[in-house]
Amino acid sequence: MQINKYFLSALTSFIIWGFFSLALKPLKDYPSLDILFYRIFFATVLLLILTLFFRRKSIVNDQQAFNRLSPNERIKAVSLTVVGGFLLVVNWFLFIYAINHVSLQSASFAYMICPILTTILAYFILKERLSKWQWLSVFLCVISCVVLSYGHLLELVYSLTIAFSFAFYLISQQERQLLKCPSQSLQKHQKKVLTEKNFS
């Protein structure tokens, strides 16, 4: 597998995400919704600053790309963006709640099974094809997840809910890319990151 900037971006995001629980655990006495609000607020401010100062050209290109869409495609693009935002908020809230009120294992397990669910959903929703070896990889991952979750039914329910919310978010954003509609830089490269992450 060729190591490029998309692979490094995905690897870096997983490393950062792996240490995210260290910041959440000390905040367990605060309501999960409050933590989520501050995360969304500061993330929005940071992204606005980065976009306005470093990605002005991308804003113009995105606006031009959006204007080239047909009215129905614009509606679909906006709808998928709203749905994706809702799914991401649900995912963040459940992840924070799971870490602080369920177990760290349930939260980490969710993102271990997320690539499996994303691959399966992409096969059925996006009609992406999988080779026999890829299906074998999916099957082995499912078996390993069943073994690891044995005796922890409640944690498994939280893990599946978190994983499904993020998997559907990724699918919705990939569906947006099929419209060739504008998106942020991370969303533009999601397909390449997912391809490398999911059994490339």
Side-chain angles (χ1 to χ4, degrees):
M1 178 177 60
Q2 182 182 4
I3 297 179
N4 52 37
K5 61 180 180 180
Y6 305 119
F7 177 82
L8 293 176
S9 297
L11 180 61
T12 303
S13 66
F14 275 112
I15 293 175
I16 295 174
W17 198 255
F19 287 98
F20 186 54
S21 59
L22 297 178
L24 287 178
K25 268 298 183 181
L27 302 175
K28 63 180 180 180
D29 294 331
Y30 294 91
S32 298
L33 278 176
D34 289 356
I35 300 174
L36 176 62
F37 169 79
Y38 281 104
R39 178 182 179 181
I40 293 176
F41 174 78
F42 286 111
T44 302
V45 171
L46 178 62
L47 287 175
L48 283 175
I49 293 174
L50 292 175
T51 301
L52 291 176
F53 282 94
F54 299 103
R55 298 189 56 82
R56 291 185 180 180
K57 185 177 180 180
S58 296
I59 297 176
V60 176
N61 293 337
D62 286 350
Q63 183 62 47
Q64 293 175 349
F66 185 80
N67 292 336
R68 287 194 294 267
L69 296 176
S70 67
N72 289 336
E73 288 177 332
R74 292 180 186 178
I75 294 175
K76 186 176 181 180
V78 173
S79 300
L80 289 172
T81 301
V82 173
V83 170
F86 173 77
L87 289 171
L88 196 56
V89 168
V90 170
N91 177 264
W92 285 354
F93 171 75
L94 292 175
F95 179 78
I96 295 171
Y97 183 86
I99 286 181
N100 288 343
H101 302 287
V102 183
S103 71
L104 181 60
Q105 178 183 348
S106 64
S108 59
F109 187 63
Y111 287 97
M112 187 172 71
I113 62 178
C114 183
I116 306 170
L117 297 178
T118 305
T119 301
I120 297 174
L121 290 175
Y123 174 80
F124 288 104
I125 298 177
L126 301 179
K127 308 302 180 182
E128 294 187 0
R129 295 183 178 182
L130 298 177
S131 67
K132 293 181 180 180
W133 289 109
Q134 289 173 324
W135 276 117
L136 177 61
S137 300
V138 171
F139 177 75
L140 292 176
C141 288
V142 170
I143 295 299
S144 64
C145 289
V146 171
V147 173
L148 290 173
S149 63
Y150 180 77
H152 304 278
L153 181 59
L154 179 61
E155 294 180 356
L156 178 61
V157 171
Y158 275 101
S159 297
L160 287 174
T161 306
I162 295 171
F164 266 113
S165 62
F166 195 67
F168 275 113
Y169 163 74
L170 293 177
I171 294 297
S172 69
Q173 298 312 293
Q174 181 58 39
E175 189 73 20
R176 286 181 68 231
Q177 293 307 304
L178 297 179
L179 293 173
K180 296 182 179 180
C181 58
S183 61
Q184 294 179 351
S185 58
L186 288 179
Q187 292 175 329
K188 286 182 178 179
H189 303 313
Q190 263 179 349
K191 184 176 181 180
K192 294 183 179 179
V193 173
L194 282 174
T195 301
E196 293 175 351
K197 184 174 64 175
N198 293 330
F199 319 113
S200 57

